[in-house]
Amino acid sequence: QVQLAESGGGSVQAGGSLRLSCTNSGYTYSEHCMAWFRQTPGEERAEVAVIYLGDGRTLYVDSVKGRFTISQDSAKNTVYLEMNNLRPEDTAMYYCAAATPRGNDCPTSKYEYNGWGQGTQVTVYS
């Protein structure tokens, strides 16, 4: 069973950086997909970045490409989201979750992910 916990959020000025951590205290198959989502009040939870643990392939939503990097440390059972050049529109609650891949591809729908943590708040001020 996947049990995830996010940390690393905070308040930062635009242009700054943060690194979020997602630690898994449960069991994760090495072929799992791990993803970061974010949500603002009144909006749907949306995928930001995903990593396929099997081979390290990553995907990003267009708005964060070139600024965010998702990575894994399998020894620590942790997935990271390095966020650089942050913008006020990146302000949101950030969540991580796990999913079973569809063949060699990771799902993009939040409904296929589970193990949601409590989230970590990121606030970017101008």
Side-chain angles (χ1 to χ4, degrees):
Q1 183 178 358
V2 177
Q3 294 177 307
L4 304 172
E6 305 92 341
S7 62
S11 183
V12 63
Q13 192 169 21
S17 300
L18 285 171
R19 188 177 78 159
L20 306 184
S21 299
C22 172
T23 301
N24 180 15
S25 59
Y27 180 80
T28 305
Y29 292 103
S30 59
E31 298 80 17
H32 254 68
C33 299
M34 296 294 297
W36 283 97
F37 291 77
R38 65 186 179 187
Q39 186 173 21
T40 56
E43 298 293 327
E44 292 286 326
R45 191 171 298 186
E47 188 175 85
V48 173
V50 61
I51 185 167
Y52 177 42
L53 300 183
D55 60 12
R57 281 180 293 130
T58 58
L59 287 173
Y60 300 91
V61 66
D62 285 346
S63 61
V64 307
K65 284 181 181 177
R67 301 188 299 122
F68 290 13
T69 302
I70 187 171
S71 61
Q72 62 170 316
D73 185 335
S74 56
K76 295 182 178 180
N77 240 8
T78 299
V79 171
Y80 301 100
L81 186 67
E82 184 77 33
M83 305 186 296
N84 297 312
N85 193 20
L86 282 161
R87 304 168 181 169
E89 53 264 38
D90 295 318
T91 295
M93 186 72 81
Y94 284 71
Y95 301 88
C96 64
T100 301
R102 291 171 167 263
N104 288 330
D105 294 323
C106 291
T108 56
S109 169
K110 61 182 181 289
Y111 300 109
E112 299 191 56
Y113 284 83
N114 54 56
W116 299 95
Q118 80 289 350
T120 186
Q121 177 68 38
V122 171
T123 302
V124 185
Y125 58 92
S126 56

